[in-house]
């Protein structure tokens, strides 16, 4: 605990508002009592609130790297501003009295230890965790409902294509919206969201031509999802004991939310991995009704680019932690890899931070793909599949960033080009205005994290520059 | 593989998606493409599949058409996705790069709100900039272009803050961005860019300044010309600019000349205040660094006075106007000029012939200047003016006396003038009230504020009570004096229930509690009873202060009163106060009536 910093406390806060509120409590001297135990593992104190009684808050560092927050306030935000304020008070150098551990916390610590022991004992007793049993008849019932849902969706799509997008009016859109709701009863939230996406596209105001282009793309996607989904589900209905599809993202696209236990069962947990975040952004997915905090990470050993996606449904957004840029290297003993390529989603339950060093940057550069031709081939091979991620992210090595007219391009050692034009994310961060401000050295012989996009109308494959990785630092062009 | 052919096919597919696949049967335009596709298909099997899919679509029955169209589109889309072009035609240029040393280490949760504030409209954006300043999170490479763009923001406070606070924080790193964004034909934002660049680059950008001053948009020309005032050698150019057509340009040129202050500049400014530009030139002339100009204006003013006295008709009006301009030019003048300004003002203000209705605004300007001098002789002259010219200057006279004399002397001199309904009495009262309210505004605290005891003679309170100026009496009451107290009690008891009277009564009660008058609790209770008769729905801040000032001995009566209230919230709140008063420690209650209020406030915060 001795080494906690302001940045570390910031990283614990659920959102920017909580950071500010926590700091403000310290500024306003709202802590009449600040204490610390002799072994420096526990901070506790009292914080003035709106009620008569002050809130009693504490932060327990008995487990290194996994602080436990406790507070008597009724806030649903976790950790609350009072416990954060306590930490800010500590890092901002407010005096803490040495004091004995309060009995109720000693009590809670004891209980936690017992819980842990019990858990370990039960795990040791059973050996391997028991294989989850599947209720076959329930599964078949569910699959049938899913198939029925896909049937409804198919009928709708075919009807729409037959009558044409040009004839789509407000009334038809209304009917489609009702259908979206109806799909909610068929356990295919993924397909439901794809249909909602179509409705959203078609009800966009403005340039009709681009609306049609996006609408057609989405119809093709839906069609593919229906066809693949149907054949997969029919097969499973016939042979329910078959394993779930893990080669592609089909299960997730239909709407399955992978549980970590399932991923472990399918052998998708990897030991000892080190990840470094190269880029981060948060965006709103309207069709799915959630905020998405997306991070792109490089596996420091093999160079794969993974993504993390922290989903915050609108309704629960306030009480879910908003993720942020991570500068440190994450070390985890068990990395769960979701099905999907080329940027499979990953998660970890327990991880430790370690400071990033120049060796890591050099390692990232060494892992970057040296030939644009190879990368482009890989990308094209991927995106031709209608259900594939249309915006794959790659780590590439470039020889120079140059300009042709108003277009920036990346060039590799063989003289092959990649245009930097697509602004897929964050219009407020325009790489065109930032690139000329970089050092000449940063624009030569470095690695870059780029996101691809094929533009249907112009027939061009272009990239958005997400980060440039040099020997000494990461230049983040997103966040 | 002929990409063009595939693009043609894509166009047809797109058309059918929009028109509906039902129209596809035997489609002529699609049919035209099929033979070409087939021919190509001989060497590329995938094209052959496209041709087959197209044929399938044309021959499909209506109800099967959508399935077929989707099949064709899927296949075509897959093919086209493998044909994406990545080469750009043209000559490549290397990017020089810059010497900017900023990093990109600010995290998303800090940077994103700042960028959003800079690139959108709506409220709360300025606060976001303050936050970014506080935690230094604006010092990030990615924020730099957006911040510089923010100079164009239409909500003036945002670009002001960016220009004054944030951009200077970047130091020289901001230069390439500003240079890149600068548009000499732009608007306000670009004039800010020019100013910022000049602050950083100084004389090395004189060429650019001159270019902007000559060929920029009006906004930019004005900004550049004003900045050229820092360069004496630009005087000929600036002199030229004073005969420009556009007023903004001439104004900027006057400001620049005022900064230079050379003989030529003084001459031109002097001419300006005697030309049709006289209004425009007043502000620059006031700031002129050379006092020679002001001395000339003073001489001129004396001449104008003479001319006014000796002429008639149009000439007389013109002379008066000129004299007014002259005096306005002297506002805020250098202290060194006091010696020459004073005789002029003295001459003006003591001249009977000058003090007539038609010169009223000029007289006021002169009197204002006299007070601004703030010299003993100036103030003495102002005090002397008290009863002269039909007491016209009594307000100025009082202000001078308040600065110059002891409180008792001020009272002795002026208290008598407050009686009666004369114009002078009203003017004096107005001045007095404005001085008092100015003093009270500087005090922090609640509604019940009082003037500093040593700054005023204690007898004022009695005069105000006699004149029934309740507000002033309240602000001048420091202690329990029988005569004042009686007056206040009468005010608390009587009067109607209009909002004005009610507010006044609250104030009076607050004063009575403050001076610890023994009747205050009873008066408050009476007042509450009366208020309750008309229905008591809400306890405002002042009433809270009053109730919590009640002594312990009134707890029982207050409780009885509370229990009779129909409104639940009001009842609850009063009972809460009752409990707090009961719980308060004995000594604070005895010591002072307001002590408990302090104590309650402490508990509440």
């Amino acid at each position: 605990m001795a080494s906690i910093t302001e940045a570390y406390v910031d990283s614990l806060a659920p959102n920017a508002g909580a950071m500010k509120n926590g700091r403000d409590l310290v500024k306003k001297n709202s802590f009449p009592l600040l204490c610390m135990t002799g072994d420096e593992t526990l901070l506790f104190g009292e914080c003035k609130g709106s009620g008569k009684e002050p809130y009693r808050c504490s932060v327990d560092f008995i487990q290194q790297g996994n602080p436990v927050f406790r507070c008597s306030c009724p806030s649903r935000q976790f950790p609350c501003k009072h416990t954060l304020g306590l930490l800010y008070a500590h890092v901002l150098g407010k005096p803490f009295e040495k004091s004995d551990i309060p009995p109720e916390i000693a009590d809670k610590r004891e209980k936690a230890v017992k819980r842990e022991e019990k858990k370990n004992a039960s795990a040791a007793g059973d050996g391997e965790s028991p294989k989850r049993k599947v209720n076959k008849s329930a599964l078949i019932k569910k699959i049938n409902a899913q198939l029925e849902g896909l049937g409804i969706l198919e009928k709708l799509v075919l009807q729409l294509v037959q009558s044409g997008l040009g004839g789509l009016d407000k009334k038809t859109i209304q009917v489609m919206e009702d259908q979206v709701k109806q799909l909610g009863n068929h356990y295919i939230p993924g397909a439901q969201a794809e249909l909602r996406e179509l409705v959203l596209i078609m009800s966009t105001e403005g340039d009709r031509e681009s609306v049609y282009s996006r609408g057609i793309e989405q119809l093709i996607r839906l069609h593919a999802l229906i066809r693949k989904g149907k054949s997969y589900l029919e097969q499973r209905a016939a042979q329910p004991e078959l394993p779930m599809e893990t080669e592609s993202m089909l299960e997730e696209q239909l709407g399955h939310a992978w549980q970590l236990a399932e991923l472990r069962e399918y052998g998708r947990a990897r030991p000892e991995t080190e990840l470094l975040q190269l880029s981060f952004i948060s965006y709103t997915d309207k069709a799915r009704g959630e905020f998405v905090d997306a991070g792109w990470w490089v596996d420091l050993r093999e160079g794969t680019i993974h993504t993390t996606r922290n989903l915050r449904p609108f309704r629960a957004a306030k009480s879910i932690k908003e993720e942020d840029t991570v500068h440190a290297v994450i070390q985890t003993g068990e990395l769960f890899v979701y099905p999907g390529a080329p940027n499979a989603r990953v998660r970890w339950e327990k991880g430790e931070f370690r400071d990033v060093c120049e060796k890591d940057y050099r390692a990232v550069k060494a892992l970057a793909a040296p030939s644009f031709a190879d990368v482009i081939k890989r990308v094209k091979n991927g995106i031709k599949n209608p259900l594939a991620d249309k915006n794959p992210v790659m780590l590439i090595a470039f020889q120079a960033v140059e300009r042709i007219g108003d277009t920036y391009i990346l060039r590799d050692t063989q003289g092959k080009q990649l245009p930097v034009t697509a602004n897929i994310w964050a219009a407020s961060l325009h790489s065109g205005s930032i690139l000329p401000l970089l050092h000449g050295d940063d624009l030569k012989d470095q690695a870059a994290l780029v996101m691809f996009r094929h533009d249907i109308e112009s027939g061009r494959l272009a990239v958005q520059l997400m980060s440039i990785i040099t020997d000494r630092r990461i230049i983040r062009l997103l966040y | 593989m002929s990409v063009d052919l595939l693009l043609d096919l894509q166009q047809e597919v797109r058309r059918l998606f929009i028109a509906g696949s039902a129209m596809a049967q035997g489609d002529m335009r699609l049919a035209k493409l099929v033979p070409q596709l087939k021919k190509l298909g001989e060497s590329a099997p995938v094209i052959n599949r496209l041709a087959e899919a197209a044929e399938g679509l044309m021959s499909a029955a209506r109800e099967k058409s959508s399935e077929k169209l989707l099949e064709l589109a899927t296949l075509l889309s897959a093919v086209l996705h493998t044909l994406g072009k990545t080469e750009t035609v043209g000559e490549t240029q290397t990017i020089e790069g810059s010497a900017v040393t900023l990093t990109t280490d600010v995290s998303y949760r800090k940077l994103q709100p700042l960028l959003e504030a800079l690139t959108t409209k709506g409220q709360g954006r300025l606060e976001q900039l303050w936050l970014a300043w506080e935690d230094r999170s604006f010092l990030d490479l990615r924020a730099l272009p957006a911040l510089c763009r923010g100079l164009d923001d239409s909500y003036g406070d945002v670009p002001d803050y960016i220009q004054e606070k944030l951009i200077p924080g970047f130091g020289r790193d901001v230069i390439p961005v500003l240079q890149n964004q600068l548009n000499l034909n732009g608007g306000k934002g670009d004039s800010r860019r020019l100013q910022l660049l000049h602050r950083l680059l100084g004389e090395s950008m004189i060429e650019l300044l001159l270019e902007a001053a000559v060929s920029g948009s009006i906004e930019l020309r004005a900004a550049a010309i004003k900045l050229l005032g820092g360069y004496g050698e630009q005087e000929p150019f600036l002199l030229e600019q004073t005969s420009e057509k556009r007023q903004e340009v001439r104004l900027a040129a006057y400001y620049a000349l005022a900064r230079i202050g050379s003989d030529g500049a003084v001459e031109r400014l002097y001419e300006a205040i005697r030309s049709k530009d006289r209004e425009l030139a007043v502000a620059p002339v006031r700031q002129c660094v050379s006092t020679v100009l002001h001395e000339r204006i003073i001489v001129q003013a004396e001449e104008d006075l003479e001319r006014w006295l000796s002429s008639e008709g149009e000439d007389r009006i013109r002379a008066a106007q000129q004299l007014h301009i002259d005096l306005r030019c002297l506002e805020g003048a250098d202290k060194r000029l006091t010696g020459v300004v004073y005789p002029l003002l003295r001459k003006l203000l003591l001249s009977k012939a000058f003090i007539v209705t038609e010169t009223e605004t000029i007289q006021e300007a002169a009197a204002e200047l006299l007070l601004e001098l703030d010299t003993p002789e100036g103030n003495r002259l102002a005090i002397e003016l008290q009863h002269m010219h039909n007491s016209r200057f009594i307000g100025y006279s009082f202000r001078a006396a308040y600065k110059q004399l002891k409180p008792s002397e001020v009272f002795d001199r002026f208290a008598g003038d407050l009686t009666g309904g004369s114009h002078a009495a009203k003017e004096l009262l107005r001045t007095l009230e404005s001085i008092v309210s100015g003093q009270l505004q500087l005090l922090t605290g609640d509604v019940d504020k009082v003037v500093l005891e040593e700054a005023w003679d204690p007898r004022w309170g009695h005069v105000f009570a006699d004149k029934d100026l309740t507000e002033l009496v309240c602000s001048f009451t420091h202690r329990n004096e029988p005569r004042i107290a009686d007056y206040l009690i009468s005010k608390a008891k009587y009067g109607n229930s209009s909002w004005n009277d009610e507010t006044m009564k609250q104030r009076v009660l607050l004063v009575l509690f403050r001076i610890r008058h023994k009747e205050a609790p009873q008066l408050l209770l009476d007042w509450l009873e009366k208020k309750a008769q008309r229905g008591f729905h809400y306890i405002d801040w002042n009433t809270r202060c009053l109730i919590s000032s009640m002594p312990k001995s009134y707890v029982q009566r207050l409780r009885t009163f509370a229990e009779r209230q129909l409104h639940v919230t009001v009842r609850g709140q009063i009972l809460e106060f009752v409990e707090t008063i009961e719980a308060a420690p004995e000594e604070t209650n005895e010591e002072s009536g307001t002590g408990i209020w302090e104590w309650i406030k402490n508990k509440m915060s």
Side-chain angles (χ1 to χ4, degrees):
Chain A
M1 194 260 294
S3 62
I4 66 169
T5 59
E6 245 185 293
Y8 174 68
V9 184
D10 281 349
S11 78
L12 293 171
N15 51 51
M19 287 186 222
K20 184 179 180 299
N21 294 337
R23 276 204 185 83
D24 284 353
L25 285 175
V26 182
K27 266 191 222 160
K28 284 192 290 184
N29 276 327
S30 297
F31 290 94
L33 183 71
L34 290 168
C35 298
M36 178 163 51
T37 53
D39 60 356
E40 298 200 348
T41 54
L42 181 78
L43 297 177
F44 63 99
E46 286 184 356
C47 181
K48 278 190 258 175
S50 53
K52 256 191 210 164
E53 294 291 312
Y55 298 126
R56 282 182 303 278
C57 43
S58 65
V59 184
D60 195 342
F61 286 90
I62 189 84
Q63 273 183 298
Q64 200 67 35
N66 188 19
V68 179
F69 302 90
R70 299 187 179 100
C71 186
S72 62
C73 77
S75 169
R76 287 173 63 185
Q77 212 168 59
F78 186 82
C80 66
K81 61 179 177 178
H82 311 103
T83 46
L84 289 170
L86 192 67
L87 291 176
Y88 283 121
H90 182 69
V91 296
L92 296 172
K94 296 267 168 191
F96 278 64
E97 275 172 48
K98 286 274 159 121
S99 167
D100 287 337
I101 178 166
E104 72 266 21
I105 292 181
D107 210 33
K108 281 187 174 152
R109 273 189 183 178
E110 222 169 88
K111 277 185 189 157
V113 171
K114 274 188 193 150
R115 243 190 339 258
E116 197 64 22
E117 274 170 9
K118 211 170 158 190
K119 211 166 142 193
N120 286 342
S122 72
D126 296 347
E128 280 295 295
S129 57
K131 196 134 171 108
R132 288 159 359 107
K133 279 196 185 126
V134 183
N135 180 336
K136 256 188 212 169
S137 63
L139 180 65
I140 290 178
K141 208 170 157 194
K142 182 181 163 190
I143 290 175
N144 283 333
Q146 287 177 314
L147 280 168
E148 198 185 320
L150 285 181
I152 297 172
L153 186 61
E154 184 173 30
K155 217 166 128 190
L156 178 72
V157 168
L158 292 180
Q159 211 172 8
L160 197 60
V161 172
Q162 194 177 4
S163 54
L165 294 177
L168 213 57
D169 54 14
K170 279 205 176 119
K171 213 172 141 197
T172 339
I173 286 182
Q174 185 63 48
V175 173
M176 280 167 72
E177 271 170 6
D178 292 343
Q179 303 258 26
V180 170
K181 278 185 203 142
Q182 205 190 329
L183 284 183
N185 304 329
H186 293 274
Y187 313 105
I188 42 170
Q192 186 190 17
E194 295 289 356
L195 179 61
R196 193 175 291 126
E197 179 73 44
L198 179 67
V199 174
L200 286 173
I201 291 171
M202 293 319 295
S203 34
T204 315
E205 302 284 326
D207 180 17
R208 270 340 267 173
E209 292 309 312
S210 105
V211 168
Y212 287 141
S213 298
R214 286 167 54 210
I216 293 167
E217 278 282 284
Q218 187 63 16
L219 277 171
I220 293 173
R221 192 175 167 83
L222 268 167
H223 176 65
L225 180 61
I226 293 164
R227 261 189 17 205
K228 292 231 170 97
K230 267 172 91 173
S231 77
Y232 166 65
L233 288 173
E234 275 160 8
Q235 200 185 352
R236 280 210 84 196
Q239 293 168 280
E241 58 283 345
L242 277 182
M244 291 167 89
E245 161 85 28
T246 52
E247 284 305 301
S248 69
M249 285 178 72
L250 188 58
E251 271 287 358
E252 200 176 335
Q253 278 164 340
L254 285 171
H256 181 66
W258 288 102
Q259 288 168 18
L260 296 188
E262 286 173 330
L263 294 173
R264 204 180 275 141
E265 221 170 89
Y266 284 108
R268 302 196 67 87
R270 272 192 225 162
E272 297 310 321
T273 316
E274 282 198 328
L275 295 174
L276 173 65
Q277 194 188 65
L278 297 180
S279 189
F280 176 87
I281 198 165
S282 191
Y283 63 91
T284 310
D285 187 335
K286 270 200 198 151
R288 286 178 169 76
E290 59 198 12
F291 300 109
V292 183
D293 304 329
W296 287 269
W297 308 70
V298 61
D299 181 324
L300 283 177
R301 280 192 207 131
E302 52 178 63
T304 326
I305 302 297
H306 290 300
T307 61
T308 48
R309 268 183 292 146
N310 180 43
L311 310 176
R312 293 178 289 124
F314 293 160
R315 268 186 255 167
K318 265 196 171 168
S319 44
I320 300 179
K321 186 181 168 189
E322 186 181 349
E323 288 298 328
D324 201 358
T325 313
V326 178
H327 292 289
V329 172
I330 293 277
Q331 299 171 305
T332 174
E334 195 177 26
L335 182 76
F336 297 95
V337 185
Y338 286 56
N343 311 122
R345 182 182 171 191
V346 291
R347 258 177 80 184
W348 55 87
E349 276 199 306
K350 277 184 195 155
E352 270 176 32
F353 291 96
R354 111 170 134 69
D355 279 340
V356 61
C357 57
E358 291 194 2
K359 209 179 112 213
D360 297 315
Y361 298 136
R362 283 200 297 275
V364 175
K365 276 187 73 172
L367 290 165
S371 154
F372 286 3
D374 290 350
V375 172
I376 291 169
K377 202 168 157 194
R378 250 186 86 196
V379 166
K380 284 181 174 174
N381 251 329
I383 58 175
K384 73 178 183 192
N385 178 347
L387 283 181
D389 177 3
K390 297 284 181 186
N391 301 122
V393 172
M394 300 280 167
L395 180 64
I396 57 172
F398 65 86
Q399 192 183 42
V401 180
E402 289 168 345
R403 229 172 53 195
I404 300 179
D406 290 336
T407 312
Y408 285 96
I409 58 146
L410 294 168
R411 196 164 45 72
D412 71 357
T413 42
Q414 285 128 41
K416 183 91 180 155
Q417 297 176 0
L418 265 179
V420 184
T421 52
N423 232 348
I424 307 165
W425 299 114
S428 54
L429 280 175
H430 189 59
S431 53
S433 59
I434 299 171
L435 280 177
L437 298 178
L438 295 176
H439 270 261
D441 291 347
D442 295 334
L443 301 170
K444 281 190 197 80
D445 296 318
Q446 310 292 3
L449 188 74
V450 294
M451 178 179 279
F452 281 83
R453 193 177 98 129
H454 177 89
D455 183 54
I456 288 288
E457 278 166 79
S458 65
R460 281 176 73 81
L461 182 65
V463 296
Q464 169 157 19
L465 256 179
M466 300 164 81
S467 292
I468 292 176
I469 300 97
T470 73
D471 290 321
R472 270 166 289 119
R473 58 173 182 155
I474 300 179
I475 300 158
R476 289 170 180 258
L477 297 160
L478 293 181
Y479 294 97
Chain B
M1 194 182 293
S2 170
V3 178
D4 288 342
L5 181 63
L6 293 179
L7 288 178
D8 286 344
L9 181 62
Q10 192 200 8
Q11 279 308 314
E12 300 313 320
V13 166
R14 182 188 163 88
R15 176 174 59 81
L16 288 171
F17 263 110
I18 296 169
S21 63
M23 319 286 277
Q25 210 168 23
D27 186 82
M28 296 296 284
R29 286 161 73 172
L30 206 52
K32 237 194 244 171
L33 293 175
V34 171
Q36 298 176 50
L37 284 169
K38 276 198 170 154
K39 197 170 159 215
L40 265 177
E42 284 163 16
S43 54
V46 70
I47 306 280
N48 212 15
R49 276 173 60 200
L50 277 174
E52 282 163 17
E55 275 182 329
L57 172 61
M58 283 187 298
S59 58
R62 222 179 130 88
E63 56 274 16
K64 286 271 169 217
S65 64
S66 47
E67 179 74 35
K68 296 279 174 200
L69 178 58
L70 280 165
E71 260 169 41
L72 173 61
T74 307
L75 190 56
L76 179 61
S77 165
V79 174
L80 287 173
H81 268 100
T82 62
L83 296 175
K85 280 194 272 262
T86 52
E87 302 298 306
T88 308
V89 192
E91 206 174 310
T92 54
Q93 297 162 280
T94 46
I95 303 165
E96 295 296 321
S98 76
V100 176
T101 54
L102 288 163
T103 60
T104 59
D105 293 339
V106 175
S107 73
Y108 170 83
R109 291 197 296 195
K110 290 196 167 162
L111 185 61
Q112 194 272 340
L114 172 65
L115 291 179
E116 188 173 298
L118 289 169
T119 50
T120 55
K121 301 267 165 238
Q123 58 183 12
R125 299 187 297 137
L126 193 57
E127 288 73 8
Q128 205 58 59
L129 300 189
W130 294 343
L131 265 181
W133 167 257
E134 216 172 271
D135 63 14
R136 316 296 288 162
S137 62
F138 69 102
L139 290 171
D140 187 287
L141 183 66
R142 292 160 295 176
L144 186 54
L147 270 170
C148 292
R149 275 275 161 246
L151 290 170
D152 294 320
D153 201 287
S154 56
Y155 173 48
D157 289 2
V158 167
D160 279 351
Y161 191 74
I162 294 174
Q163 185 178 1
E164 292 309 316
K165 273 271 184 171
L166 300 183
I167 287 189
F170 284 102
R172 297 181 68 84
D173 278 350
V174 80
I175 293 173
V177 184
L178 290 174
Q179 279 173 334
N180 189 341
Q181 291 183 0
L182 182 68
N183 170 11
L184 291 185
N185 290 311
K188 190 108 204 287
D190 288 294
S191 67
R192 290 176 191 273
R193 286 188 186 97
L194 197 70
Q195 288 162 9
L196 282 164
L197 277 172
H198 183 252
R199 210 189 287 176
L200 290 160
L201 294 169
E203 197 167 357
S204 64
M205 65 174 283
I206 191 91
E207 291 299 318
L208 183 63
L209 273 189
L210 283 170
E211 192 192 333
V214 174
S215 56
S217 65
I218 293 300
E219 199 108 38
L220 271 277
R221 286 184 65 188
I225 288 170
K226 224 169 159 180
L227 290 171
L228 285 172
Y231 303 93
E233 70 276 14
Q234 297 300 330
E235 190 186 319
F237 173 75
L238 293 170
L239 288 173
E240 237 172 71
Q241 299 306 308
T242 57
S243 46
E244 254 298 311
K245 229 192 211 159
R246 296 295 293 249
Q247 180 175 308
E248 297 90 330
V249 176
R250 294 202 305 275
L251 179 64
Y254 291 138
Y255 271 116
L257 288 171
R259 256 181 93 186
I260 290 176
S262 63
D263 291 348
V266 165
E267 183 62 37
R268 180 56 53 90
L269 287 167
Y270 182 73
E271 280 168 22
I273 61 158
R274 308 197 61 74
S275 70
K276 64 174 178 18
D277 265 356
R278 58 175 85 88
E279 282 290 342
L280 200 62
V282 169
V285 166
R286 277 183 199 155
Q287 291 180 11
C288 184
V289 292
S290 165
T291 51
V292 177
L293 175 60
H294 303 96
E295 280 162 15
R296 280 183 70 179
I297 291 171
I298 291 164
V299 174
Q300 177 61 46
E302 302 226 12
E303 283 169 22
D304 286 330
L305 176 63
E306 291 306 321
R307 195 151 59 86
W308 181 80
L309 287 168
S310 59
S311 59
E312 269 177 20
E314 281 291 307
D315 269 356
R316 194 175 157 93
I317 293 171
R318 265 201 297 278
Q321 282 171 344
Q322 191 60 49
L323 185 55
H324 192 200
I325 293 279
D326 296 339
L327 291 181
R328 282 172 54 203
C329 286
L330 297 174
E331 262 174 47
D334 200 293
K335 283 284 167 221
R336 282 172 293 168
L337 289 164
T338 309
V340 263
V341 177
Y342 176 71
L344 169 68
L345 298 177
R346 185 181 167 82
K347 192 168 177 185
L348 283 170
L349 292 168
L350 292 180
S351 147
K352 263 212 171 103
F354 176 66
I355 310 297
V356 290
T357 325
E358 57 173 307
T359 60
E360 224 161 38
T361 48
I362 312 173
Q363 295 163 29
E364 273 164 27
E368 225 22 276
L369 271 179
L370 185 65
L371 287 188
E372 196 188 282
L373 290 181
D374 199 16
T375 57
E377 57 176 353
N379 285 337
R380 264 199 305 280
L381 173 61
I383 297 169
E384 272 171 44
L385 286 170
Q386 183 182 2
H387 291 129
M388 287 168 79
H389 309 305
N390 216 359
S391 301
R392 186 189 287 265
F393 297 107
I394 193 160
Y396 296 97
S397 184
F398 184 82
R399 273 157 64 192
Y402 186 77
K403 277 197 283 192
Q404 190 79 11
L405 306 178
K406 280 190 239 150
S408 59
E409 288 172 337
V410 176
F411 180 81
D412 292 337
R413 245 177 183 280
F414 287 90
D417 290 339
L418 210 51
T419 48
S422 66
H423 175 78
K426 280 184 198 151
E427 182 58 37
L428 180 58
L429 181 60
R430 208 165 26 238
T431 311
L432 221 157
E433 280 173 334
S434 93
I435 293 177
V436 170
S437 80
Q439 290 180 355
L440 294 183
Q441 246 169 36
L442 296 177
L443 301 174
T444 50
D446 300 321
V447 193
D448 184 29
K449 294 193 223 175
V450 272
V451 294
L452 271 183
E453 198 165 2
E454 57 275 15
W456 296 86
D457 190 283
R459 288 168 290 171
W460 281 112
H462 300 194
V463 175
F464 297 147
D466 291 345
K467 286 208 67 155
D468 192 17
L469 298 164
T470 322
E471 191 76 48
L472 283 170
V473 176
C474 290
S475 307
F476 277 72
T477 303
H478 296 277
R479 55 180 55 79
N480 195 347
E481 265 182 84
R483 199 169 140 199
I484 300 289
D486 288 347
Y487 168 76
L488 289 174
I489 288 168
S490 73
K491 279 281 139 189
K493 276 186 181 161
Y494 307 110
N496 57 30
S497 57
S498 70
W499 187 82
N500 266 339
D501 270 28
E502 286 295 287
T503 330
M504 185 53 74
K505 276 186 198 166
Q506 276 186 344
R507 174 88 203 271
V508 168
L509 285 167
L510 282 166
V511 176
L512 286 170
F513 270 103
R514 173 160 53 77
I515 62 175
R516 273 175 264 153
H517 196 278
K518 60 181 191 315
E519 281 188 46
Q522 188 55 49
L523 283 168
L524 172 61
L525 212 55
D526 294 345
W527 179 71
L528 284 172
E529 292 282 3
K530 228 180 205 173
K531 207 171 157 71
Q533 281 169 16
R534 297 188 306 276
F536 206 172
H537 302 293
Y538 170 70
I539 306 184
D540 63 20
W541 180 255
N542 292 337
T543 315
R544 277 166 204 235
C545 300
L546 284 168
I547 297 180
S548 55
S549 308
M550 283 294 233
K552 261 192 176 175
S553 49
Y554 272 79
V555 160
Q556 200 42 49
R557 270 174 276 183
L558 204 52
R559 190 188 295 279
T560 328
F561 168 75
E563 274 157 7
R564 282 206 314 274
Q565 297 312 306
L566 296 174
H567 204 278
V568 185
T569 334
V570 168
R571 186 165 60 222
Q573 278 175 341
I574 301 179
L575 284 174
E576 213 171 285
F577 279 121
V578 170
E579 276 164 29
T580 329
I581 295 170
E582 273 182 331
E586 203 63 43
E587 64 276 5
T588 47
N589 203 10
E590 293 307 313
E591 222 171 66
S592 80
T594 48
I596 179 159
W597 173 237
E598 289 303 318
W599 184 77
I600 288 171
K601 263 206 286 200
N602 265 337
K603 279 213 72 152
M604 279 170 32
S605 60

